Amino acid sequence: MPLDRYRNTALVDGIDVRALPLAGDSPAPASQGKQQQQQQQHWFQRRLVQDTVGSGYVEFGDTKVLCSVHGPMEPKRSVLTDAGAEQSRAQLQVYYKLAPFASHQAGRVSYLPDETERRAASFLQDTLAPSLRLDRLPKSRIELHCLVLEDAGCCLATAVNCACLALVDAGLEMYDLVTAATVCRPVGATDWQLEVGDGSNSGGSSSVTLAYMRSLRQVAGMLVEAAEPLQPREVSAACRICEDPCKMTHSSLRQFLLDCLPADDRTAKIA
Amino acid sequence: MQSAPDDEELDSLSIRLVGLDENYPVRLNWNDLGVQFSKQSIVVPGDRLTRSREFIPGHGTLRRTVEAGSGNASFAAGRRQKQNDDNAEDNDEDDEDEDEEGAWELAASVAGRQHVVNKLLCVLPGRSRYAGEIGDVVVGRVQEVASRRWRIDANARLQATLHLSGVLLPGEDLRRKSEEDERAMRAVLAEGDLVSAEVQSVQADGSLVLHTRNARYGRLGQGTLVRVPPALIKRSKTHFHSLPCGVTLVLGMNGYCWCGPTPGQSDVREPLASPADRSEVARVRACVRLLAVNHVPLYDTSVMQAYEVARESPVALLSRPDEQLRVARLVAEQLLTAEVGEAQPGGGGFGLHSGDLISGGALSAVH
Amino acid sequence: TRQLLSEPERQYIFDSVQDAVRIDGRQCLAYRQAALRLDLLCYATASAQVSLGETDVLVSVREEDNPGATAQQQGSTGSSASSSSSGPVSVWVDCSCLGSGPEQQQLADEAQAHLSSLYRCLRTPTPVFVDILLLGYDGDLLDAASIAASAALMRALPASLLSAQALPLFATVHRIGSQQIVDANQLEESCSMARVTVGVDSNGRLVACQTCGEGSLQFESMTEMIETGVRKAMMLHDSVAKLVARVL
């Protein structure tokens, strides 16, 4: 649950949201050779995975992430955990994995989660937990599986967006939508650039990923991967730069949901 | 529509090549049938619903207060929508913690459509776990036999409970529950058994307590289970349907539907169904599935209409998405015609909802 | 994977198969309709997605020139431990979309073992990695996965290699009572006590053959099931070949 206070400033209006194709009933854009403009757009889709409570799929440029949500369901019984403490809130468990074919760089991703993936999983867990109303689901367990089908850059932020979409699709109560963006800076450069999914980031740069809840104006999570020592004010500046892309992603995710949600309610019209 | 696919099926695998830019399988699009769904009252988590205190928060909403200037925010839990709207007196319990000078607002916590019933404002998500209400008819599967109770999977967040005292045993009136009954629980219901029951109560943590104290509830015999989204089951007077084709259909409100051959009159032993009966059961099962994947509401009328439309097709064909779409579309058209034909008092036509009748100001979601 | 079912349900499925009217109305030796989609992934040499009923499989095939890749694999434990010994075609199956329980892991492990043995005879110039992702499951994973892997391999490998060797396909035959069925859905799989999985190449030769399940078979039944499997696999080869010829 978000604990920080936020300032009730006037909402920022007039953000230019680029026209995005509606997902669900519309065709997917071609994977290969996307235009420059398309590299910076998100493409959302829900319910790609059958037999789950909720699932989401996001393409950001060439990066593709698939998330599926299981639960809420009975918790796993374990002798190590304290029974009393867990009964009051749901447990969120996040699994994050890059598919073996996901990386376009040389070499394959190994089959077991390595350190990067484990860290990404715990980052996702800590980022999404503040946005979920876990106290509304006592004695339950929610599992979130995150699979990166292609990693062309910015996959952690895309995974956050995708996980948020999957949780919304599952009908779980949330305080706000969480969206994320990443800025990166090659070693020795001075400017932070928005990282997009076009495969241009080939490692050796510092990156700052910010996960943001727009309506609440709170930071859900922040991760810095430094290739060189950074000044604290550089990191805060990078976070500030991340804010706008997060808001834009929030708008486009919100628009996507507004467009496909009326169809969910179709049964209420007939029945 | 193909004719005589039986030989084709055996001699070849029917593979359909799907283009990269195609969506497959294609499901029923209600917009094509001329049904417009209003977008006005759709909200996503975090949207502000209203600042007016006259609304009572219901399911899917949460209250937050923001102090002007310093920007303090605090949250209060929203209320589960209860069947009886008697939570007005509980509404004020958090008021002492709220700053009277701050801006109080009601926000959405799920993505869905907002509904207003009298003063209760709630947001209902399109798809969520079955929550359960008292009186619902459900179909469940026994997971565990514990002491004096069974634990049942009823497609809810937590396992449901069926107490030994909630079961109708033979010779009910004449004896109390004895120790032999406890030991013989597995003879009544064992692990894996399907049972139809009614929701007796909903516990504080959300788990359901079921009972089968009625002759029509109890263990389900030969047949098969179909799982559909719970939201598609239309609430009606009865959920047990004996269809004219000789199939019994139980539509559980929790999304578990059971179809099996209607047992004959002899209650000595359940006779084996004939191949013709099995074919009918398979057809009804296929109809329920095809309606479910195309988001058509499930009740006896819709299933019967699907059965009539699909009567001439071979049953195996009804698993193909093309055929499913064809049948579902015909059923939807028939349902729409019937719906529009009836006079609907109180503005219940398509595109209109009670939430839409409230004009802009108080309830407009803020970008 | 075996589902928890009640006795009457099990009996109903059993009797339905004996009467040759399966739960979804199919005949005993009929397959469900399949759908095939090619070339979804950018970074794979080739990819294919096959859905057989509700079973949905995404396969990626990648040729790897990096010798360091095999070293990475040998460091991993668990189901892929034996992959280095199965020849240049390595297979990995991922069921994480379905959940993280032991049943899903077991499904993945078994599938990986079967598919590794299927491609044991295949020789490729460079190491080839076949990665299988399960997006939905309703029975008959092996047949669907082998069709998808075949389609992807046909696009990835050069034509000269393909003409010399024939890519094999799986056909799984279950035995329920006295009847044999193919393409069992999850319910039927839970009721079958024994099954035979045959891997057959397009020349009709066996490259893999195994019985599984908790039940035992008589010699004659086993032979019959193998014959049925080979027949069905040839049928699958015909259908897949016709389709791929249109595309390639």
Side-chain angles (χ1 to χ4, degrees), chain C residues 5-24:
Chain C
L5 291 178
S6 66
E7 260 321 295
E9 271 176 290
R10 228 175 259 284
Q11 194 62 40
Y12 187 75
I13 295 171
F14 185 91
D15 294 333
S16 296
V17 170
Q18 305 312 304
D19 285 343
V21 181
R22 290 164 75 171
I23 293 285
D24 53 358

Side-chain angles (χ1 to χ4, degrees), chain A residues 1-2 4-8 11-13 24-28 30-31 45 47 51-55 71-75 77 133 135-140 168-177 214-216 218 250 254-255 257-259 261-271, chain B residues 20-21 23 28-30 37-39 42-47 51 59-62 64 66 69-73 75-80 105 108-113 115 125-129 156-159 205 231-232 234 294-295 297 299 335-336 339 350-353 365-367:
Chain A
M1 180 166 157
D4 279 338
R5 283 95 195 263
Y6 68 92
R7 183 173 291 280
N8 187 21
L11 290 169
V12 180
D13 255 340
D25 291 333
S26 71
S31 315
Q45 195 170 2
R47 302 187 186 170
D51 211 29
T52 52
V53 179
S55 64
M73 48 192 168
E74 291 273 332
R77 308 197 193 214
R133 297 192 69 186
D135 54 315
R136 297 278 290 165
L137 301 168
K139 295 199 284 193
S140 302
V168 170
D169 187 43
L172 294 170
E173 289 198 61
M174 301 175 75
Y175 289 104
D176 193 7
L177 299 177
R214 184 175 170 188
S215 302
L216 301 175
Q218 293 195 8
H250 184 280
R254 186 167 180 280
Q255 191 57 44
L257 288 170
L258 291 180
D259 287 329
L261 282 172
D264 269 355
D265 206 19
R266 55 179 65 134
T267 60
K269 297 307 179 200
I270 305 279
Chain B
L20 200 59
D21 53 354
N23 261 313
L28 185 61
N29 186 355
W30 288 83
F37 295 106
S38 162
K39 294 187 182 189
I42 299 288
V43 292
V44 297
D47 283 352
R51 283 208 169 113
H59 175 68
T61 61
L62 47 80
R64 61 185 187 210
V66 179
S70 63
N72 294 340
F75 289 89
R79 290 261 171 258
R80 265 185 87 92
E105 52 187 36
S109 62
V110 292
R113 191 183 291 275
H115 295 255
R127 186 162 80 154
S128 59
R129 290 292 246 185
R157 182 169 59 90
L158 298 170
Q159 284 182 339
D205 61 1
L232 287 175
K234 179 178 160 160
N294 285 293
H295 290 285
Y299 54 115
L335 289 178
L336 281 173
E339 192 75 13
F350 297 116
L352 275 180
H353 197 271
V366 181
H367 287 262

